[in-house]
Amino acid sequence: MCGIVGYTGCNEAAPILLEGLETLAYRGYDSAGIAVWDGENIVMKKEKGQLANLKAIVAREPVFGACGIGHTRWATHGEPSYINSHPHGDAKKQLVLVHNGIIENYIRLKEMLTERGLRFVSDTDTEVIAQLIGDIYKGDPIPAITKAIHMLEGSFALAILFRDDPNRIYCVCKDSPMVVGFGKDGAHIASDIPAMLSYTRDVTFMGDKQIAVLSPEGIAFYDEFGSPIDKGCTHIDWDLDAAKKGSYEHFMMKEICEEPVAFRKTAEQYVSFKTGRIKADCFPWSEEDIPSLRRIRIVGCGTAYHAGLLGKKYFSEFARIPVEAEIASEFRYSDHIFEEGELLFVISQSGETADTIAAMRMAKQAGVRTVAVCNVIGSTIAREADDVLFTYAGPEIAVAATKSYLTQATVLFIAALHLGCMRGKVSEETAAELISQLALIPDSMQRLIDGRGEIQYYASREFSEKHVFFIGRGIDSALAMEAALKLKEISYIHSEAYAAGELKHGTIALIEEGTLVVALVTQKRLAAKTASNIEEVRVRGANVLAITNGNMPEVDSHCAKVWRIEEMNELIAPFCAIIPLQLFAYYMAVQKGCPVDKPRNLAKSVTVE
């Protein structure tokens, strides 16, 4: 959730560090800081609040030097403050470090170090790490780091500067992402790829308890016991401009506008629109595997879980196989009975979501085969899953997930369709027809985006709402959950999703005069039933907005406003229906003056429990 950057080379470090922190600001933070070796000392500059505060300090009091580390902190231990901001150092002033993650045994370690005479100045678990390494350090960083990491419990990514070794950065991680790369002007470290794209495209993802030593000449790697190891690198082909806002006011709007391209690029990795066929060699099952496949489980967090709910519908419909979808944080603490023939799908945009990683590892220990749906090559989930189905969304910077949700659902749709064909539940003709309809989706999406002025106008009239309810049946119920999440996380409007058929079982008590209800009606076979639910809330004073799949007269007469997507197969409709719902959330937030890309209390990549 926090952000780490580091650089050592032949250029001034401070501007590179500040640029990297700016790139990582989307991850969420409440303070920022840097530490740079100036030729004599390690100089720290840090400040509470926005990165602009730190930049102002550095502008007034420049820091010169070619080796440094930086950090954006999202508070977990200790309130947001100058004292609790990173970097942190040890009492002997031998080192400073920055840290992502949570140390679970920090209180016990702090008590031990306090008994040894060390005094602490902050409330953070991070200072405990600095003091621990400083207490162990006897002049050689590697032994001190290896001993310390075996005493730490929890998750961590560390970047460390030692006063006695001023041109090197020492890095180590466990259950928290760390990426290193070497460019023409020196070595770089970051907690996420976009911070490095301006300097290098060839990166190495560090494994648990592996140590990297960055110097101006290169990067050396060691295992958890300090023995040298070799590691390869991964080439990142993301477009650098895709990680920049360009002419858009917000990253979220830019990323919504990129969805037609992201959808096509992802879909074309797995199907051929020219031949109407699925690229069978892209999927991790063969004809020999099919008879033994008994059940599918899908896990994810937040938006990824909502994509998994669509995946559940798709696998049930196409493959006719038992499917369960569960929130990863609940899955990992449930007492599961795993059986032979299970397949677990784990979904994560970043590939570093802590609860999803833990759920995957638990299943793997039980012998369950795992398939990742992920956007980042070389991420923890991508490395550890038995198989990976990559999405091709490119970098997504806004905290609110848009194109990652779309591409995750796209991959699950095609995977389910292929499995249905393999199991003999879907004919080649049906598959070809569905693929031909998928080919039309990008243009339909683009027309919805081009017509967003209507949504903007509607939001300008409704942004003062305090409560918004989303209702739908079947696949629309799953879609409603994502729509409600988008609205609440960026506009701070209380919004909830309910299965429309459940209204009379309690929820309808919340409806009063003027309540905004958004009804999703993309399945014609359920339109009449949903229309009845719409009428139930309308007569109780609700102001109803409907999103329909083409013309649905039985729905129109009950609603104050209707937005239509072009008529299409109901299983494909969510790919287009999500566009106006994302735009609605965006414009509601803009009208309220909310920080759209960086909503309060949230982070892009949730790498701790």
Side-chain angles (χ1 to χ4, degrees):
M1 298 174 77
C2 309
I4 286 177
V5 294
Y7 168 75
T8 180
C10 58
N11 295 323
E12 289 293 332
I16 295 173
L17 298 176
L18 292 172
E19 177 190 344
L21 293 179
E22 183 71 47
T23 304
L24 295 178
Y26 68 90
R27 294 167 67 92
Y29 69 99
D30 45 49
S31 62
I34 61 172
V36 176
W37 173 258
D38 71 353
E40 295 182 0
N41 298 292
I42 299 175
V43 179
M44 286 194 289
K45 301 290 183 181
K46 55 184 182 177
E47 190 56 78
K48 176 185 174 182
Q50 295 298 304
L51 187 59
N53 299 339
L54 175 63
K55 288 183 174 180
I57 291 173
V58 175
R60 292 194 306 268
E61 305 168 3
V63 183
F64 300 103
C67 180
I69 54 178
H71 191 266
T72 49
R73 177 180 186 252
W74 193 87
T76 55
H77 296 81
E79 66 180 5
S81 68
Y82 172 85
I83 292 297
N84 291 330
S85 302
H86 297 210
H88 287 282
D90 69 320
K92 300 175 185 176
K93 297 185 178 180
Q94 303 170 106
L95 63 94
V96 299
L97 58 78
V98 293
H99 164 226
N100 288 353
I102 292 178
I103 303 304
E104 296 171 358
N105 63 334
Y106 85 100
I107 293 178
R108 189 164 69 250
L109 292 172
K110 188 173 185 178
E111 291 172 347
M112 178 195 74
L113 293 167
T114 300
E115 290 175 359
R116 292 173 62 83
L118 296 173
R119 294 293 175 261
F120 290 79
V121 297
S122 77
D123 301 317
T124 67
D125 57 342
T126 301
E127 188 189 355
V128 173
I129 308 172
Q131 297 277 28
L132 176 64
I133 297 175
D135 187 59
I136 298 170
Y137 180 65
K138 303 302 179 187
D140 189 345
I142 295 292
I145 293 170
T146 57
K147 184 174 181 179
I149 62 176
H150 287 96
M151 299 173 68
L152 299 175
E153 298 174 7
S155 61
F156 53 84
L158 306 173
I160 313 167
L161 295 181
F162 286 87
R163 185 184 61 191
D164 298 338
D165 199 3
N167 293 317
R168 290 186 174 88
I169 303 173
Y170 290 80
C171 311
V172 64
C173 64
K174 175 182 174 291
D175 297 332
S176 193
M178 185 77 85
V179 189
V180 297
F182 193 79
K184 62 180 181 179
D185 296 323
H188 299 263
I189 186 169
S191 48
D192 206 354
I193 293 169
M196 303 174 66
L197 287 180
S198 297
Y199 303 99
T200 181
R201 297 301 184 89
D202 296 314
V203 304
T204 298
F205 296 86
M206 293 181 62
D208 277 359
K209 296 186 178 179
Q210 292 177 343
I211 300 168
V213 181
L214 283 66
S215 71
E217 293 77 33
I219 304 173
F221 297 97
Y222 302 85
D223 66 16
E224 62 184 289
F225 304 107
S227 298
I229 57 173
D230 293 324
K231 287 183 68 69
C233 64
T234 301
H235 182 75
I236 304 298
D237 61 0
W238 286 355
D239 181 1
L240 180 59
D241 290 337
K244 297 180 179 180
K245 193 159 43 179
S247 60
Y248 292 91
E249 184 177 357
H250 300 100
F251 275 110
M252 184 177 177
M253 175 55 76
K254 177 177 182 287
E255 287 157 11
I256 291 173
C257 290
E258 289 171 346
E259 287 187 282
V261 172
F263 174 88
R264 180 178 294 279
K265 188 172 183 179
T266 298
E268 287 184 333
Q269 299 295 320
Y270 300 101
V271 301
S272 169
F273 287 147
K274 290 182 179 180
T275 65
R277 292 182 176 274
I278 299 171
K279 299 176 181 179
D281 59 348
C282 293
F283 295 95
W285 43 70
S286 63
E287 289 193 17
E288 292 74 21
D289 297 325
I290 299 305
S292 61
L293 185 58
R294 296 286 182 265
R295 180 167 65 172
I296 291 174
R297 300 186 197 235
I298 304 173
V299 297
C301 296
T303 287
Y305 167 66
H306 296 160
L309 290 175
L310 290 182
K312 177 181 178 181
K313 303 285 186 183
Y314 295 145
F315 281 108
S316 296
E317 178 76 20
F318 294 139
R320 309 304 297 166
I321 190 171
V323 189
E324 298 175 14
E326 193 167 345
I327 298 168
S329 58
E330 290 294 313
F331 182 91
R332 65 181 292 195
Y333 293 116
S334 300
D335 187 12
H336 293 287
I337 301 174
F338 293 108
E339 299 176 358
E340 190 174 349
E342 292 194 19
L343 188 65
L344 178 74
F345 277 82
V346 290
I347 309 173
S348 170
Q349 187 280 139
S350 66
E352 302 293 352
T353 311
D355 285 314
T356 308
I357 292 171
M360 176 185 68
R361 288 173 176 170
M362 183 178 73
K364 283 177 68 69
Q365 287 178 351
V368 175
R369 186 175 179 183
T370 56
V371 180
V373 178
C374 181
N375 193 47
V376 181
I377 297 171
S379 61
T380 300
I381 285 175
R383 293 197 312 269
E384 294 189 14
D386 295 313
D387 301 284
V388 187
L389 299 176
F390 284 109
T391 57
Y392 292 83
E396 187 178 67
I397 306 302
V399 165
T402 51
K403 58 181 181 175
S404 62
Y405 171 79
L406 175 72
T407 53
Q408 287 163 358
T410 302
V411 168
L412 292 169
F413 179 95
I414 299 171
L417 183 60
H418 181 247
L419 192 58
C421 293
M422 296 282 287
R423 287 172 57 83
K425 307 299 182 181
V426 178
S427 68
E428 288 187 9
E429 293 75 18
T430 298
E433 173 58 27
L434 288 169
I435 292 169
S436 70
Q437 292 186 46
L438 287 180
L440 303 175
I441 293 296
D443 289 341
S444 296
M445 287 179 182
Q446 190 60 56
R447 285 187 282 272
L448 288 166
I449 293 169
D450 292 342
R452 62 186 180 272
E454 177 186 9
I455 300 171
Q456 182 179 19
Y457 176 71
Y458 184 84
S460 72
R461 297 170 51 202
E462 302 293 339
F463 72 93
S464 60
E465 288 288 340
K466 302 297 184 185
H467 309 280
V468 179
F469 299 103
F470 293 80
I471 62 173
R473 287 175 176 264
I475 205 166
D476 288 329
S477 178
L479 189 63
M481 294 177 69
E482 175 61 12
L485 176 61
K486 282 293 148 288
L487 183 62
K488 73 178 69 168
E489 68 181 337
I490 64 168
S491 73
Y492 313 148
I493 295 172
H494 170 246
S495 55
E496 300 296 338
Y498 295 97
E502 289 293 294
L503 284 171
K504 291 189 286 293
H505 296 280
T507 307
I508 203 166
L510 298 171
I511 303 301
E512 55 189 25
E513 191 68 33
T515 300
L516 178 57
V517 175
V518 181
L520 308 183
V521 199
T522 66
Q523 302 154 98
K524 290 189 178 295
R525 60 190 175 86
L526 296 177
K529 290 289 186 183
T530 307
S532 297
N533 302 131
I534 294 172
E535 181 64 11
E536 288 168 356
V537 296
R538 188 193 69 81
V539 298
R540 288 165 174 80
N543 171 28
V544 182
L545 164 67
I547 289 86
T548 64
N549 185 358
N551 292 318
M552 292 185 175
E554 66 269 50
V555 173
D556 293 0
S557 60
H558 302 286
C559 303
K561 184 68 176 177
V562 178
W563 296 337
R564 295 179 180 84
I565 65 170
E566 296 169 9
E567 187 171 347
M568 60 189 66
N569 184 291
E570 65 182 43
L571 293 173
I572 291 174
F575 299 138
C576 282
I578 192 58
I579 300 291
L581 294 167
Q582 292 170 345
L583 289 167
F584 174 59
Y586 172 81
Y587 283 120
M588 292 284 273
V590 169
Q591 289 290 335
K592 291 187 65 180
C594 298
V596 175
D597 289 335
K598 293 179 275 188
R600 66 190 181 202
N601 304 330
L602 298 179
K604 181 65 177 175
S605 181
V606 185
T607 57
V608 296
E609 286 191 67

